[in-house]
């Protein structure tokens, strides 16, 4: 019997062989991020559970450093302010925890990266809608069939898998690629 690790590794390898088709969308998303940052904008990120952790990871690569020592880049994970999250959830609804923050912190020229393995998370969908109202660029890191976010985002990057774990593994790989694209485009380092 194959170990769980070897089975997971085989599933990951199989998925990776089918991701070349995402190149154009990942490249476009990275370019949109670089344009926003070059113009004085910022990157906002939102997602739930493991996707929330991915938001924090990508934001930290931008505000800290990814590969090169360079200036800090403006990125905020909307998943990290427990007081904002709990007050909005309590006073309004959990579906509004990201949209309220987007309305408070976002502006035209900024980018919202919405991470959802299903593409159907209500609070992420509402955040994308709020960002679009503000004329922000919206990028979806999605899974499965992309859900309703696929057609709502300006750039949708949909990982073609039904496995949440495999989708999340690819999302963080794409997040790293986006950071690399930004560093190269802005000639940082």
């Amino acid at each position: 019997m194959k170990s769980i690790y070897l089975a997971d590794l085989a599933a990951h390898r199989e998925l990776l062989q089918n991701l070349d088709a995402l190149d154009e969308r990942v490249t476009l998303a990275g370019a949109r991020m670089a344009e926003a940052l070059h113009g004085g904008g910022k990157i906002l990120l939102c997602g739930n559970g493991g996707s929330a952790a991915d938001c924090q990871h990508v934001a930290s690569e931008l505000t800290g450093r990814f590969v090169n020592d360079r200036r800090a880049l403006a990125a905020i994970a909307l998943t990290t302010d427990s007081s904002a999250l709990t007050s909005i959830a309590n006073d309004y609804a959990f579906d509004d925890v990201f949209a309220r923050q987007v309305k408070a912190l976002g502006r035209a020229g900024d980018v919202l990266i919405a991470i959802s393995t299903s593409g159907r998370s209500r609070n992420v969908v509402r955040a994308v809608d709020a960002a679009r109202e503000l004329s922000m660029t919206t990028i979806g890191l999605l899974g499965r069939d992309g859900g309703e976010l696929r057609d709502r985002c300006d750039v949708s990057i949909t990982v073609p898998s039904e496995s949440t774990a495999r989708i999340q593994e690819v999302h963080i790989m794409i997040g790293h690629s986006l950071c690399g694209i930004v560093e190269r485009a802005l000639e940082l380092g």
Side-chain angles (χ1 to χ4, degrees), residues 5-112:
Y5 170 76
L6 289 177
D8 287 349
L9 189 59
H12 185 77
R13 283 184 183 132
E14 182 180 341
L15 177 58
L16 288 177
Q17 291 177 0
N18 297 312
L19 297 181
D20 287 358
L22 300 180
D23 177 57
E24 185 177 320
R25 293 192 160 278
V26 172
T27 301
L28 176 59
R32 295 277 181 92
M33 291 168 63
E35 288 169 14
L37 292 164
H38 180 72
K42 63 189 159 301
I43 310 299
L44 303 178
L45 302 98
C46 67
N48 297 294
S51 298
D54 290 346
C55 292
Q56 292 171 236
H57 186 143
V58 172
S60 72
E61 301 287 21
L62 295 170
T63 59
R65 73 174 175 138
F66 179 55
V67 173
N68 300 313
D69 280 329
R70 41 101 173 132
R71 68 178 172 88
L73 301 172
I76 303 167
L78 301 179
T79 58
T80 60
D81 186 340
S82 61
S83 295
L85 293 170
T86 57
S87 70
I88 294 166
N90 184 63
D91 295 347
Y92 297 94
F94 188 72
D95 287 353
D96 295 323
V97 294
F98 300 132
R100 295 280 302 182
Q101 292 184 79
V102 167
K103 291 175 184 177
L105 301 170
R107 65 170 179 80
D110 290 343
V111 170
L112 174 69

Side-chain angles (χ1 to χ4, degrees), residues 114-129 138-142 145-156 158:
I115 306 177
S116 173
T117 60
S118 70
R120 292 170 173 76
S121 301
R122 291 304 318 147
N123 55 2
V124 178
V125 170
R126 287 192 185 199
V128 167
D129 291 344
T138 55
I139 296 169
L141 288 184
L142 313 170
D145 65 0
E148 56 188 290
L149 283 170
R150 184 189 66 224
D151 295 328
R152 274 186 154 95
C153 292
D154 297 310
V155 182
S156 294
T158 305

